Amino acid sequence: MSEIQRFHHNPGWAIQAIQTSRAVLILDRYGRIIAVNQGCLRLCGYQRDELIGRPASVLLEPSGPGPAWLWRMIEAPDEAEAWLNGLVQIARSGRRIRTDARLCPIRDEQGQVCLNVLFLREPAEEEGPLQPDPALGQGRGR
């Protein structure tokens, strides 16, 4: 096992991840939120106690691909990490937020998934500020 793989399989990595500025949730092996960082709370508008113990899917548009994708990834014990772009997150205010997600399972000493770290980010975080696209008259440009 490489150093990177060992790092990602270490439960201490989940604790380090929650301290980042990105929106991060730590889920139990059933997909329930057990920890959430300030970045996520700012993004979704909820208070910590409103999310702890609830399924992570409460933050995703129910009719979109997000909830089904999340459950499929949580139930796939052999997966290392999964990405899904273009989810729709629903903030407490009802605001819809386009979100990209990465799910990283954390394994115990026996190789069983004990936690999942879910990273959420708005695509604009890495693309820079939104700019009008002259070809479209509006939208995102580069």
Side-chain angles (χ1 to χ4, degrees), residues 23-125:
V24 179
L25 297 115
I26 298 179
L27 314 177
D28 66 12
R29 62 187 186 147
Y30 305 106
R32 291 182 303 243
I33 300 167
I34 60 170
V36 57
N37 75 348
Q38 276 306 123
C40 187
L41 296 174
R42 280 191 301 274
L43 182 65
C44 69
Y46 285 95
Q47 298 293 315
R48 184 171 274 107
D49 62 343
E50 293 176 295
L51 294 177
I52 300 298
R54 297 188 67 194
S57 60
V58 301
L59 296 173
L60 302 173
E61 181 178 50
S63 62
W69 168 84
L70 183 61
W71 295 125
R72 234 181 1 263
M73 295 302 105
I74 288 172
E75 292 176 352
D78 296 331
E79 294 295 322
E81 113 179 7
W83 292 81
L84 186 66
N85 297 323
L87 294 176
V88 176
Q89 181 180 343
I90 306 296
R92 185 173 193 240
S93 66
R95 180 176 147 233
R96 298 163 56 103
I97 306 161
R98 185 172 175 270
T99 306
D100 293 339
R102 185 175 108 189
L103 182 72
C104 300
I106 304 295
R107 299 179 185 282
D108 61 18
E109 297 80 26
Q110 290 78 39
Q112 301 297 314
V113 175
C114 59
L115 298 172
N116 287 282
V117 180
L118 180 64
F119 295 90
L120 299 172
R121 72 169 177 86
E122 293 181 86
E125 285 179 17

